[in-house]
Amino acid sequence: MASATAAWVRRRLAASGEAFSVTARNPSLLRAQLSFGAAWTAEAAFTVALGVVAFLDGGAEAVGLVAFARMAPAALFTPVGTAFADRFPRDRVLVWSCLARAAATGAAAATLLAGGPSVVVYPLAVVSTCAFRLFRPAHSALLPGLCNAPRELSSANVVRGLLDSVATLLGPLTAALLLVLSSPAAVFVTSALLSLAAAVLLLGLPYEARSRRRPQPLRRIADETVQGFQALTRYRDAGLLIGLALAQSVTQGFLYVFVVVLAIDELGMGAPGVGLLVGAVGAGAVVSSLVASAFVTGRRLAALEGIGVILWGLPLTLSGALLREPVLVGLMCVIGAGNSLVDIGLHTLPARLVPEELLARVFGVKASLSALAIAVGSFVTPLAIGLLGIRGALIVLGLIAPTLAVLAWRRLRSIDEAIAYGDQEIEVLTRINMFRTLPMPAIDELALHVDKVQLAAGQEDFHQDEHGDRFYVIADGEAEVIGNGRLVSTLRSGEGFGEIALLHDTMRTTTVRARTPLRLFTLDRRHFLSAVTDYESSGREAEALVLDRLGTFNPAH
């Protein structure tokens, strides 16, 4: 029994190590992840300091009003901004976002240090928030392009979730320390420097992106923005996942106000107590992310998101019944655990369910609606406190997200089953060298367009000198390649054929016949050529294969 337990622990630790080694082995992915960590730490610290400035200006009502005022414009800006992330290189859009945030938060710090009115800080906070709300969806759309397999993408999102969690811990704790030692201006300076570091990490990011079509005129940007919203109804599974994330976002808006009121008014913890409570959310998220890294398989991520949404709301309800400082800190840790579970599913699965060319806009719509949901949550919380009292507001508002997650549970399980089925097709396709080099969005899109064919032993798939319109991958069995009536070669599971006629627009150069019963995956000309010709590395592999096969048998010679 003890040896079995030890073996299980070793397997889990090995899985955790593999999740992190994925990032360590990929220089582009590593730089993108570190940039995310710096950007998120900057935002977490900035949010704490801004809440303190607002509370000192006008109490809980001011905190809610400022949160609403900074999130509502971001909700309008983000879908438009992410439309540009689907037009231009996404790493470049991220750099612009970081530089805008650094400038805005730096100007806010300068205003406070110069003794200027705090009211000037709030418009600058709106600019910073708009830029930050663009960062995450563009980063979420970039990340799949840096990965080559579903497991790699899941692992990358686990690592990013951990960085998110660490940032949610370090940002508020740094803010709390600086608020004790100095002032909100010091926190703003730190946030500006971290935003600048995030930009530097992304400069000249090396990765292979799909060849973009020539951009449409700028007047089309409104139409392209609307397409992001339409995608939520067209791709309904992705729409459901984002809808649940919005329930989390509304709860996050509740939390923004609750932590300030609880720390300063109810528990007498003072301004640093705000940082402590938000930091507890980060601590729970760190632990949850580390545990998740040991179990990540890319499966059941939709169900994990549902559990995470439940864990966002229930602790608020329990806080209303158990309003004591140690209990509250513990419940904030539980919320953090829920946050990491939501993020792993939310930022992995839409990339599997939505076409790559729409991905930034879909994540942008999510960020936009999330900003609006946070704004609404922040706005109604003071009203709920006034109507129900702090305990009643915690109990009632905390039940919203868990109720919605329970209602969606059956559909979440169906999404996980569909994703697992698609992974089987991806596993077969990535045995082919020319597909193995493709980034995750491209191979996922190929898998969506796979057709399946079965041949009996002795049955011919196509004949020499026929028109070629499909590419074939052998999932199981063996096939004979026959040229001018003689056996040229034998193909086995994991090998493909039919590429010469498609790439060179010629007739079939050989006949292919099933030597044993064959199970084939097939791709039509359009999707095969799109995958191979849009990526330079895949194109090189394809041409090398063509030259090798024509060297073995060329009917022209």
Side-chain angles (χ1 to χ4, degrees), residues 48 52 55-56 176 179-180 259-278 325:
V48 170
V52 170
F55 188 84
L56 295 176
L179 288 169
V180 170
V259 293
V260 177
V261 176
L262 290 172
I264 298 178
D265 270 1
E266 295 294 320
L267 300 175
M269 300 167 68
V274 179
L276 175 62
L277 291 180
V278 179
E325 182 177 332

Side-chain angles (χ1 to χ4, degrees), residues 15-58:
S16 179
E18 176 62 22
F20 292 102
S21 67
V22 164
T23 292
R25 292 194 302 263
N26 186 330
S28 297
L29 187 57
L30 178 61
R31 286 172 55 184
Q33 300 279 44
L34 292 175
S35 175
F36 178 87
W40 202 256
T41 303
E43 176 66 10
F46 181 78
T47 298
V48 170
L50 185 66
V52 170
V53 171
F55 188 84
L56 295 176
D57 273 350

Side-chain angles (χ1 to χ4, degrees), residues 17-39 91 94 135 139 142-148 152 155-157 159-160 162-164 197-207:
E18 176 62 22
F20 292 102
S21 67
V22 164
T23 292
R25 292 194 302 263
N26 186 330
S28 297
L29 187 57
L30 178 61
R31 286 172 55 184
Q33 300 279 44
L34 292 175
S35 175
F36 178 87
D91 55 325
L94 289 170
F135 183 92
H139 192 276
L142 170 70
L143 208 58
L146 305 178
C147 301
N148 295 101
E152 190 175 2
S155 298
N157 274 305
V159 172
R160 195 179 74 164
L162 177 62
L163 291 172
D164 185 341
V200 171
L201 284 165
L202 291 167
L203 289 174
L205 186 69
Y207 70 100

Side-chain angles (χ1 to χ4, degrees), residues 315-388:
L316 289 184
T317 298
L318 294 174
S319 297
L322 305 168
L323 195 53
R324 301 181 187 88
E325 182 177 332
V327 174
L328 187 59
V329 171
L331 290 172
M332 292 299 106
C333 291
V334 174
I335 289 177
N339 188 66
S340 66
L341 295 180
V342 171
D343 282 354
I344 293 171
L346 177 64
H347 295 103
T348 301
L349 294 180
R352 310 286 311 276
L353 300 169
V354 176
E356 192 271 345
E357 64 269 16
L358 281 171
L359 199 51
R361 279 169 283 174
V362 167
F363 281 124
V365 168
K366 182 268 171 186
S368 170
L369 297 178
S370 291
L372 183 60
I374 291 171
V376 170
S378 301
F379 185 77
V380 304
T381 304
L383 302 177
I385 293 172
L387 181 64
L388 303 172

